Amino acid sequence: MTTEKKTPLKTPRSYRLLCPIARGLDRVGDRWTLLLLRDLHAGPARFSDLQSSLQGMAPNLLTERLRALESDGLIRRKDAGYNVNVYELTPLGASTGSLLFELAKFGSQFPPAEELAQSGNLRLIAVTLKMALASAVASAISGSGSLESLAVELRVDGEPFDIKVLEGNVSVLYKHSEEPEAVISTSYEPLVAVGDGRMTGEELFSKHVKIVEGSAEKAIRLFELLNTGFGAPG
Amino acid sequence: MTTEKKTPLKTPRSYRLLCPIARGLDRVGDRWTLLLLRDLHAGPARFSDLQSSLQGMAPNLLTERLRALESDGLIRRKDAGYNVNVYELTPLGASTGSLLFELAKFGSQFPPAEELAQSGNLRLIAVTLKMALASAVASAISGSGSLESLAVELRVDGEPFDIKVLEGNVSVLYKHSEEPEAVISTSYEPLVAVGDGRMTGEELFSKHVKIVEGSAEKAIRLFELLNTGFGAPG
DNA sequence: CGGGATCCGTTACGATACTG
DNA sequence: CAGTATCGTAACGGATCCCG
């Protein structure tokens, strides 16, 4: 007889606080959401691409997150015909780039656990590469005033990234380049070591990078930029 | 009799992914955690300070989060005698500053909901102020090479912030200043409007700021810096 | 086979009551 | 003031199933 009626929570789990951080978390604070956005920074992706990258995420959750992100205007779904749906970032969703970069720099301070799952693909590094390059390009511009251009394909453990720097703009997409000035290959481990500050870009370049084809100069410049970008305050 | 045994999840809800972003989220991705850290950027706080700021957070959750953050080395608990415990950021925990700043800038893009709870105090704005000032001070240094110094108390709706800029270092704490060069008062609403880009620092200063005592120059300089910091890329 | 939807056990969270 | 205890509900994790 002591059972009381509980008020059943009007809105499903939202901080209702007058604070921009809380408003941000109401959009991207749910479990998996930031990892999902991270993947989409590598370019449009299909449901199964995301599933293979986000090992351990249940498909119903993926569906739910995609719906929520779409309704908040961070991503948009495009029907690409023949039963293929692709999801891609809107400009609003793309504005999570620097947030994800800061989160990556924070997380790099912690050692990886012993047993962990590999992602099914390497989409995850695109944001970090992009933001590091963007940061380096910005400081190169303010330092010298000169704009540079770069169009290379970087292969990381065989997976292709189309990297373009043009007029101060940086793009890093998970795909093959169409007319690259150079094609370079490296592997994941040493690359993250540079991100964590355990290795310099020079060492990476001299020991763990192969130029598959094209200009060595452009390849060198890419790793100079990466070195600057990972070291810079962000 | 078809009941099968389920493997009961070895570690309690951790992404076990080889990715710095996932490692970061394993530390700060739980609900309330980033808001809690946000508050601690305003300086050491007691349990009840945090409780009053984080309206709607259950006390048991607060306890649990504090324990987890302590065990991850992001905060430390200090016994201040007579049943008073204070919690404060470690350097590792303080490294969330730029992450929180980016999150605040992201969240500012969304309009606040109609009905929302006010925090019991204004600790929440300290990080944003600090990071905006730090960004402005950094670009002022790289622009002019000159170091400046500033020591003012800013009162926001009566709540005091001790703001110091010294040799390129910025500190913003939720407390009274000891020997301020100026004491300035303003209110919360117009201040966040500057943060969101809906108002300039000049307009804020001319219409919504009162100099309670001390140097007008220092006060003006503070709002110049804020204006720069909120506009800068971060 | 890609692209999900459904179901159900477990875990985390929210609300409130209570204690040193 | 600084938490602990308890309990109902919502969210998540894992597997299976369905549909074009």
Side-chain angles (χ1 to χ4, degrees), chain A residues 137-185:
Chain A
V137 165
S139 71
I141 289 173
S142 77
S144 71
S146 70
L147 291 177
E148 60 192 315
S149 106
L150 208 59
V152 304
E153 176 172 320
L154 177 67
R155 295 187 189 150
V156 183
D157 291 336
E159 300 186 50
F161 293 88
D162 172 43
I163 301 183
K164 289 199 192 109
V165 179
L166 190 61
E167 294 174 10
N169 239 311
V170 177
S171 121
V172 176
L173 298 175
Y174 184 76
K175 63 193 271 292
H176 286 285
S177 297
E178 308 206 338
E179 295 183 4
E181 298 161 339
V183 176
I184 318 164
S185 84

CSV table of all heavy atoms in Angstrom, one decimal, chain A residues 137-185:
chain,number,residue,atom,x,y,z
A,137,VAL,N,48.0,23.5,-42.0
A,137,VAL,CA,47.8,24.4,-43.2
A,137,VAL,C,47.5,25.8,-42.7
A,137,VAL,O,48.0,26.8,-43.3
A,137,VAL,CB,46.7,23.9,-44.1
A,137,VAL,CG1,46.2,24.9,-45.1
A,137,VAL,CG2,47.2,22.6,-44.9
A,138,ALA,N,46.6,25.9,-41.7
A,138,ALA,CA,46.2,27.3,-41.2
A,138,ALA,C,47.5,28.0,-40.7
A,138,ALA,O,47.6,29.2,-40.9
A,138,ALA,CB,45.2,27.1,-40.1
A,139,SER,N,48.3,27.3,-39.9
A,139,SER,CA,49.4,28.0,-39.4
A,139,SER,C,50.5,28.2,-40.4
A,139,SER,O,51.2,29.2,-40.3
A,139,SER,CB,50.0,27.2,-38.2
A,139,SER,OG,50.7,26.1,-38.6
A,140,ALA,N,50.5,27.4,-41.5
A,140,ALA,CA,51.5,27.7,-42.6
A,140,ALA,C,51.0,29.0,-43.3
A,140,ALA,O,51.9,29.8,-43.7
A,140,ALA,CB,51.5,26.5,-43.5
A,141,ILE,N,49.7,29.1,-43.4
A,141,ILE,CA,49.2,30.3,-44.1
A,141,ILE,C,49.5,31.6,-43.3
A,141,ILE,O,50.1,32.6,-43.8
A,141,ILE,CB,47.7,30.2,-44.3
A,141,ILE,CG1,47.4,29.2,-45.4
A,141,ILE,CG2,47.1,31.6,-44.8
A,141,ILE,CD1,46.0,28.9,-45.6
A,142,SER,N,49.2,31.5,-42.0
A,142,SER,CA,49.5,32.7,-41.2
A,142,SER,C,51.0,33.0,-41.0
A,142,SER,O,51.4,34.1,-40.8
A,142,SER,CB,48.8,32.6,-39.8
A,142,SER,OG,49.5,31.7,-39.0
A,143,GLY,N,51.8,32.0,-41.2
A,143,GLY,CA,53.2,32.2,-41.1
A,143,GLY,C,53.8,32.8,-42.4
A,143,GLY,O,54.5,33.7,-42.4
A,144,SER,N,53.5,32.2,-43.5
A,144,SER,CA,54.1,32.6,-44.8
A,144,SER,C,53.2,33.3,-45.7
A,144,SER,O,53.7,34.0,-46.6
A,144,SER,CB,54.7,31.3,-45.5
A,144,SER,OG,53.6,30.6,-46.0
A,145,GLY,N,51.9,33.2,-45.5
A,145,GLY,CA,51.0,33.9,-46.4
A,145,GLY,C,50.8,33.1,-47.7
A,145,GLY,O,50.0,33.5,-48.5
A,146,SER,N,51.6,32.1,-47.9
A,146,SER,CA,51.5,31.4,-49.2
A,146,SER,C,50.5,30.2,-49.1
A,146,SER,O,50.5,29.5,-48.2
A,146,SER,CB,52.8,30.9,-49.6
A,146,SER,OG,53.2,29.8,-48.8
A,147,LEU,N,49.7,30.1,-50.2
A,147,LEU,CA,48.8,29.0,-50.3
A,147,LEU,C,49.5,27.8,-51.0
A,147,LEU,O,50.2,28.0,-52.0
A,147,LEU,CB,47.6,29.4,-51.0
A,147,LEU,CG,46.6,30.4,-50.3
A,147,LEU,CD1,45.5,30.7,-51.2
A,147,LEU,CD2,46.1,29.7,-49.0
A,148,GLU,N,49.3,26.6,-50.5
A,148,GLU,CA,49.9,25.5,-51.2
A,148,GLU,C,48.8,24.5,-51.7
A,148,GLU,O,47.7,24.6,-51.3
A,148,GLU,CB,50.9,24.7,-50.4
A,148,GLU,CG,50.3,24.2,-49.1
A,148,GLU,CD,51.4,23.7,-48.2
A,148,GLU,OE1,52.3,23.1,-48.6
A,148,GLU,OE2,51.3,24.0,-46.9
A,149,SER,N,49.2,23.6,-52.6
A,149,SER,CA,48.2,22.6,-53.0
A,149,SER,C,48.9,21.3,-53.0
A,149,SER,O,50.1,21.1,-53.2
A,149,SER,CB,47.7,23.0,-54.4
A,149,SER,OG,48.2,22.2,-55.4
A,150,LEU,N,48.0,20.3,-52.8
A,150,LEU,CA,48.5,18.9,-52.6
A,150,LEU,C,47.4,18.0,-53.0
A,150,LEU,O,46.2,18.2,-52.7
A,150,LEU,CB,48.8,18.7,-51.1
A,150,LEU,CG,49.9,17.8,-50.7
A,150,LEU,CD1,51.2,18.1,-51.2
A,150,LEU,CD2,50.0,17.8,-49.1
A,151,ALA,N,47.7,16.9,-53.7
A,151,ALA,CA,46.6,15.9,-54.0
A,151,ALA,C,47.3,14.6,-54.1
A,151,ALA,O,47.9,14.2,-55.1
A,151,ALA,CB,46.0,16.3,-55.4
A,152,VAL,N,47.2,13.9,-52.9
A,152,VAL,CA,47.9,12.6,-52.9
A,152,VAL,C,46.9,11.5,-52.4
A,152,VAL,O,45.9,11.8,-51.7
A,152,VAL,CB,49.1,12.6,-51.9
A,152,VAL,CG1,50.1,13.7,-52.3
A,152,VAL,CG2,48.6,12.8,-50.5
A,153,GLU,N,47.2,10.3,-52.7
A,153,GLU,CA,46.5,9.2,-52.2
A,153,GLU,C,47.4,8.5,-51.1
A,153,GLU,O,48.5,8.1,-51.5
A,153,GLU,CB,46.1,8.2,-53.2
A,153,GLU,CG,45.4,6.9,-52.7
A,153,GLU,CD,44.8,6.0,-53.7
A,153,GLU,OE1,44.2,6.5,-54.7
A,153,GLU,OE2,44.9,4.8,-53.6
A,154,LEU,N,46.9,8.4,-49.9
A,154,LEU,CA,47.6,7.8,-48.9
A,154,LEU,C,47.0,6.4,-48.6
A,154,LEU,O,45.8,6.4,-48.3
A,154,LEU,CB,47.6,8.6,-47.6
A,154,LEU,CG,48.3,8.0,-46.4
A,154,LEU,CD1,49.8,7.9,-46.6
A,154,LEU,CD2,48.0,8.9,-45.1
A,155,ARG,N,47.8,5.4,-48.7
A,155,ARG,CA,47.2,4.0,-48.4
A,155,ARG,C,47.7,3.6,-47.0
A,155,ARG,O,48.9,3.5,-46.8
A,155,ARG,CB,47.6,3.0,-49.4
A,155,ARG,CG,47.0,3.4,-50.8
A,155,ARG,CD,47.2,2.3,-51.8
A,155,ARG,NE,46.8,2.8,-53.1
A,155,ARG,CZ,47.3,2.4,-54.3
A,155,ARG,NH1,48.3,1.5,-54.3
A,155,ARG,NH2,46.9,2.9,-55.4
A,156,VAL,N,46.8,3.3,-46.1
A,156,VAL,CA,47.1,2.9,-44.8
A,156,VAL,C,46.7,1.4,-44.7
A,156,VAL,O,45.5,1.1,-44.7
A,156,VAL,CB,46.4,3.7,-43.7
A,156,VAL,CG1,46.9,3.3,-42.3
A,156,VAL,CG2,46.7,5.2,-43.9
A,157,ASP,N,47.7,0.5,-44.5
A,157,ASP,CA,47.4,-0.9,-44.5
A,157,ASP,C,46.6,-1.3,-45.7
A,157,ASP,O,45.6,-2.1,-45.6
A,157,ASP,CB,46.8,-1.3,-43.2
A,157,ASP,CG,47.7,-1.2,-42.1
A,157,ASP,OD1,49.0,-1.3,-42.3
A,157,ASP,OD2,47.2,-1.1,-40.9
A,158,GLY,N,46.8,-0.6,-46.8
A,158,GLY,CA,46.1,-0.9,-48.0
A,158,GLY,C,44.8,-0.2,-48.3
A,158,GLY,O,44.2,-0.2,-49.3
A,159,GLU,N,44.3,0.5,-47.2
A,159,GLU,CA,43.0,1.2,-47.4
A,159,GLU,C,43.3,2.7,-47.8
A,159,GLU,O,44.2,3.4,-47.3
A,159,GLU,CB,42.3,1.2,-46.1
A,159,GLU,CG,41.9,-0.2,-45.6
A,159,GLU,CD,41.0,-0.3,-44.4
A,159,GLU,OE1,40.0,0.4,-44.4
A,159,GLU,OE2,41.4,-1.0,-43.5
A,160,PRO,N,42.6,3.1,-48.8
A,160,PRO,CA,42.9,4.4,-49.5
A,160,PRO,C,42.3,5.6,-48.9
A,160,PRO,O,41.1,5.6,-48.5
A,160,PRO,CB,42.3,4.2,-50.9
A,160,PRO,CG,41.1,3.3,-50.7
A,160,PRO,CD,41.4,2.5,-49.5
A,161,PHE,N,43.1,6.7,-48.8
A,161,PHE,CA,42.5,8.0,-48.4
A,161,PHE,C,42.9,9.0,-49.5
A,161,PHE,O,44.1,9.2,-49.8
A,161,PHE,CB,43.1,8.4,-47.0
A,161,PHE,CG,42.6,7.5,-45.9
A,161,PHE,CD1,43.3,6.4,-45.6
A,161,PHE,CD2,41.5,7.9,-45.2
A,161,PHE,CE1,42.8,5.6,-44.6
A,161,PHE,CE2,41.0,7.0,-44.2
A,161,PHE,CZ,41.7,5.9,-43.9
A,162,ASP,N,41.9,9.7,-49.9
A,162,ASP,CA,42.1,10.7,-50.9
A,162,ASP,C,42.3,12.1,-50.2
A,162,ASP,O,41.4,12.6,-49.5
A,162,ASP,CB,40.8,10.8,-51.8
A,162,ASP,CG,40.8,12.0,-52.7
A,162,ASP,OD1,41.9,12.3,-53.3
A,162,ASP,OD2,39.8,12.7,-52.8
A,163,ILE,N,43.5,12.6,-50.2
A,163,ILE,CA,43.9,13.8,-49.5
A,163,ILE,C,44.1,14.9,-50.4
A,163,ILE,O,44.9,14.9,-51.3
A,163,ILE,CB,45.1,13.5,-48.6
A,163,ILE,CG1,44.9,12.4,-47.7
A,163,ILE,CG2,45.6,14.8,-47.9
A,163,ILE,CD1,46.1,12.1,-46.8
A,164,LYS,N,43.4,16.0,-50.2
A,164,LYS,CA,43.5,17.2,-51.0
A,164,LYS,C,43.7,18.4,-50.2
A,164,LYS,O,42.9,18.7,-49.2
A,164,LYS,CB,42.3,17.4,-51.9
A,164,LYS,CG,42.2,16.3,-53.0
A,164,LYS,CD,41.2,16.9,-54.1
A,164,LYS,CE,40.9,15.7,-55.1
A,164,LYS,NZ,39.5,15.3,-54.9
A,165,VAL,N,44.7,19.2,-50.5
A,165,VAL,CA,44.8,20.6,-49.9
A,165,VAL,C,44.7,21.6,-51.1
A,165,VAL,O,45.6,21.5,-52.0
A,165,VAL,CB,46.1,20.7,-49.2
A,165,VAL,CG1,46.3,22.1,-48.6
A,165,VAL,CG2,46.2,19.7,-48.1
A,166,LEU,N,43.8,22.5,-51.0
A,166,LEU,CA,43.6,23.4,-52.1
A,166,LEU,C,43.1,24.7,-51.6
A,166,LEU,O,42.0,24.8,-51.0
A,166,LEU,CB,42.6,22.8,-53.1
A,166,LEU,CG,42.6,23.6,-54.5
A,166,LEU,CD1,43.9,23.6,-55.2
A,166,LEU,CD2,41.5,23.0,-55.4
A,167,GLU,N,43.9,25.8,-51.7
A,167,GLU,CA,43.5,27.1,-51.3
A,167,GLU,C,43.1,27.1,-49.8
A,167,GLU,O,42.1,27.7,-49.4
A,167,GLU,CB,42.4,27.6,-52.2
A,167,GLU,CG,42.8,27.9,-53.6
A,167,GLU,CD,41.6,28.3,-54.5
A,167,GLU,OE1,40.5,28.5,-53.9
A,167,GLU,OE2,41.8,28.3,-55.7
A,168,GLY,N,43.9,26.5,-49.0
A,168,GLY,CA,43.7,26.5,-47.6
A,168,GLY,C,42.6,25.6,-47.1
A,168,GLY,O,42.4,25.4,-45.9
A,169,ASN,N,42.0,24.9,-48.1
A,169,ASN,CA,41.0,23.9,-47.7
A,169,ASN,C,41.5,22.5,-47.7
A,169,ASN,O,42.3,22.1,-48.6
A,169,ASN,CB,39.9,24.0,-48.8
A,169,ASN,CG,38.5,24.3,-48.1
A,169,ASN,OD1,38.2,23.7,-47.1
A,169,ASN,ND2,37.8,25.3,-48.7
A,170,VAL,N,41.1,21.7,-46.7
A,170,VAL,CA,41.6,20.4,-46.6
A,170,VAL,C,40.5,19.4,-46.7
A,170,VAL,O,39.5,19.6,-46.1
A,170,VAL,CB,42.3,20.2,-45.2
A,170,VAL,CG1,42.8,18.7,-45.1
A,170,VAL,CG2,43.5,21.2,-45.1
A,171,SER,N,40.7,18.3,-47.5
A,171,SER,CA,39.7,17.3,-47.5
A,171,SER,C,40.4,15.9,-47.4
A,171,SER,O,41.4,15.7,-48.0
A,171,SER,CB,38.8,17.4,-48.7
A,171,SER,OG,38.9,16.2,-49.5
A,172,VAL,N,39.9,15.1,-46.6
A,172,VAL,CA,40.4,13.7,-46.5
A,172,VAL,C,39.2,12.7,-46.6
A,172,VAL,O,38.4,12.7,-45.7
A,172,VAL,CB,41.1,13.5,-45.1
A,172,VAL,CG1,41.6,12.0,-45.0
A,172,VAL,CG2,42.3,14.4,-45.0
A,173,LEU,N,39.2,12.0,-47.6
A,173,LEU,CA,38.1,11.0,-47.8
A,173,LEU,C,38.6,9.6,-48.0
A,173,LEU,O,39.6,9.4,-48.5
A,173,LEU,CB,37.3,11.5,-49.1
A,173,LEU,CG,36.6,12.8,-49.0
A,173,LEU,CD1,35.9,13.2,-50.3
A,173,LEU,CD2,35.6,12.9,-47.8
A,174,TYR,N,37.7,8.7,-47.5
A,174,TYR,CA,38.0,7.3,-47.6
A,174,TYR,C,37.7,6.7,-48.9
A,174,TYR,O,36.6,6.2,-49.1
A,174,TYR,CB,37.2,6.5,-46.5
A,174,TYR,CG,37.5,5.1,-46.3
A,174,TYR,CD1,38.7,4.6,-45.7
A,174,TYR,CD2,36.6,4.1,-46.8
A,174,TYR,CE1,38.9,3.3,-45.5
A,174,TYR,CE2,36.8,2.8,-46.6
A,174,TYR,CZ,38.0,2.4,-46.0
A,174,TYR,OH,38.2,1.0,-45.9
A,175,LYS,N,38.6,7.0,-49.9
A,175,LYS,CA,38.4,6.5,-51.3
A,175,LYS,C,39.7,6.6,-52.1
A,175,LYS,O,40.6,7.3,-51.6
A,175,LYS,CB,37.3,7.3,-51.9
A,175,LYS,CG,37.6,8.8,-52.1
A,175,LYS,CD,36.4,9.7,-52.4
A,175,LYS,CE,36.2,9.8,-53.9
A,175,LYS,NZ,37.3,10.6,-54.6
A,176,HIS,N,39.7,6.1,-53.2
A,176,HIS,CA,40.8,6.3,-54.1
A,176,HIS,C,40.8,7.7,-54.7
A,176,HIS,O,39.8,8.3,-55.0
A,176,HIS,CB,40.8,5.3,-55.2
A,176,HIS,CG,41.2,3.9,-54.8
A,176,HIS,ND1,42.5,3.5,-54.5
A,176,HIS,CD2,40.4,2.8,-54.5
A,176,HIS,CE1,42.5,2.3,-54.1
A,176,HIS,NE2,41.3,1.8,-54.1
A,177,SER,N,42.0,8.3,-54.9
A,177,SER,CA,42.1,9.6,-55.6
A,177,SER,C,42.0,9.4,-57.1
A,177,SER,O,42.3,8.3,-57.6
A,177,SER,CB,43.5,10.2,-55.3
A,177,SER,OG,43.7,10.4,-53.9
A,178,GLU,N,41.5,10.4,-57.7
A,178,GLU,CA,41.3,10.3,-59.1
A,178,GLU,C,42.6,10.6,-59.9
A,178,GLU,O,43.0,9.9,-60.8
A,178,GLU,CB,40.1,11.1,-59.6
A,178,GLU,CG,38.9,10.8,-58.7
A,178,GLU,CD,37.6,11.0,-59.4
A,178,GLU,OE1,37.6,11.8,-60.3
A,178,GLU,OE2,36.6,10.4,-59.0
A,179,GLU,N,43.2,11.8,-59.6
A,179,GLU,CA,44.4,12.1,-60.3
A,179,GLU,C,45.5,12.6,-59.3
A,179,GLU,O,45.8,13.7,-59.3
A,179,GLU,CB,44.2,13.2,-61.3
A,179,GLU,CG,43.3,12.8,-62.5
A,179,GLU,CD,43.1,13.9,-63.5
A,179,GLU,OE1,43.8,15.0,-63.3
A,179,GLU,OE2,42.3,13.8,-64.4
A,180,PRO,N,46.0,11.6,-58.5
A,180,PRO,CA,46.9,12.0,-57.5
A,180,PRO,C,48.3,12.4,-58.0
A,180,PRO,O,48.7,11.9,-59.0
A,180,PRO,CB,47.0,10.7,-56.7
A,180,PRO,CG,46.8,9.6,-57.7
A,180,PRO,CD,45.7,10.2,-58.6
A,181,GLU,N,48.9,13.4,-57.3
A,181,GLU,CA,50.3,13.7,-57.7
A,181,GLU,C,51.2,12.7,-57.1
A,181,GLU,O,52.4,12.6,-57.6
A,181,GLU,CB,50.6,15.1,-57.1
A,181,GLU,CG,49.7,16.2,-57.6
A,181,GLU,CD,49.7,17.4,-56.7
A,181,GLU,OE1,50.0,17.3,-55.5
A,181,GLU,OE2,49.4,18.5,-57.2
A,182,ALA,N,50.8,12.0,-56.1
A,182,ALA,CA,51.6,10.9,-55.6
A,182,ALA,C,50.7,9.9,-54.9
A,182,ALA,O,49.6,10.2,-54.4
A,182,ALA,CB,52.6,11.4,-54.5
A,183,VAL,N,51.2,8.6,-54.8
A,183,VAL,CA,50.5,7.6,-54.1
A,183,VAL,C,51.5,7.0,-53.1
A,183,VAL,O,52.6,6.6,-53.5
A,183,VAL,CB,50.0,6.4,-55.0
A,183,VAL,CG1,49.4,5.3,-54.2
A,183,VAL,CG2,49.0,7.0,-56.0
A,184,ILE,N,51.1,7.1,-51.8
A,184,ILE,CA,52.0,6.7,-50.7
A,184,ILE,C,51.4,5.6,-49.9
A,184,ILE,O,50.2,5.6,-49.7
A,184,ILE,CB,52.3,7.9,-49.8
A,184,ILE,CG1,52.4,9.2,-50.6
A,184,ILE,CG2,53.5,7.7,-48.9
A,184,ILE,CD1,52.3,10.4,-49.8
A,185,SER,N,52.2,4.7,-49.4
A,185,SER,CA,51.7,3.7,-48.5
A,185,SER,C,52.4,3.6,-47.2
A,185,SER,O,53.6,3.8,-47.1
A,185,SER,CB,51.7,2.3,-49.2
A,185,SER,OG,52.9,1.7,-49.0
